[in-house]
Amino acid sequence: MSYTQILYHIVLRTKNSIPAITPVHSRQLYTYIWGIIRNKKGRLYRINGMEDHIHLVSDLHPTLSLADYVKDIKVASSLWMKRSGLFSFFEGWAEGYCALTYAYNQKDIVIEYVKNQQEHHKRETFQEEIIRIFAEMGMEVDGRFL
């Protein structure tokens, strides 16, 4: 049996940053993604977002790679969003993604950050947010992600 303790903060943005995740239907999307994660034997601690991106705080089963995990979430949720008819402007997810790791003793801080996205984005755009997060992590931002 394998044991891991890796907490991921994953950010997915819509293709071309189109504001396609309608707030009135976002909860249905989040519930659907939660089901994907459960089926992959992962645990979703928090999901939230804005019209052009979502944040997930999750772990993943030790038999999965991060790339496959994110790909599975993006493919399944994209198909569902297009078929549901609830997200008429949704063209797909952007090619890349952001995945950051945190220690489990930082879990509550990351969860609170994701929980408060609507308030947070009254003060900071998505681009400003990513640039700041990457700077805090000591990373450089690849402009293609923005």
Side-chain angles (χ1 to χ4, degrees), residues 7-70:
L7 184 68
Y8 289 96
H9 176 190
I10 300 168
V11 182
L12 307 176
R13 69 178 179 89
T14 59
K15 186 175 184 179
N16 299 317
S17 295
I18 293 171
I21 304 170
T22 52
V24 69
H25 299 298
S26 61
R27 188 164 187 79
Q28 290 168 275
L29 171 62
Y30 300 161
T31 301
Y32 187 80
I33 291 172
W34 182 32
I36 297 167
I37 292 170
R38 244 189 358 250
N39 288 338
K40 299 287 174 192
K41 300 179 183 172
R43 181 179 290 172
L44 179 66
Y45 294 100
R46 190 68 187 186
I47 185 170
N48 199 4
M50 299 298 292
E51 289 84 358
D52 62 347
H53 71 281
I54 62 171
H55 294 255
L56 300 103
V57 180
S58 172
D59 64 10
L60 65 129
H61 194 270
T63 60
L64 292 176
S65 73
L66 176 63
D68 287 341
Y69 183 68
V70 173

Side-chain angles (χ1 to χ4, degrees), residues 5 68 109 130 136:
Q5 192 178 50
D68 287 341
I109 295 167
I130 290 298
E136 289 172 0

Side-chain angles (χ1 to χ4, degrees), residues 129-143:
E129 175 184 42
I130 290 298
I131 290 169
R132 179 185 49 74
I133 289 171
F134 277 34
E136 289 172 0
M137 299 293 266
M139 301 167 57
E140 288 188 33
V141 179
D142 183 334

Side-chain angles (χ1 to χ4, degrees), residues 89-101:
F89 297 110
F90 183 77
E91 296 177 3
W93 295 110
E95 186 177 327
Y97 62 90
C98 173
L100 306 167
T101 58

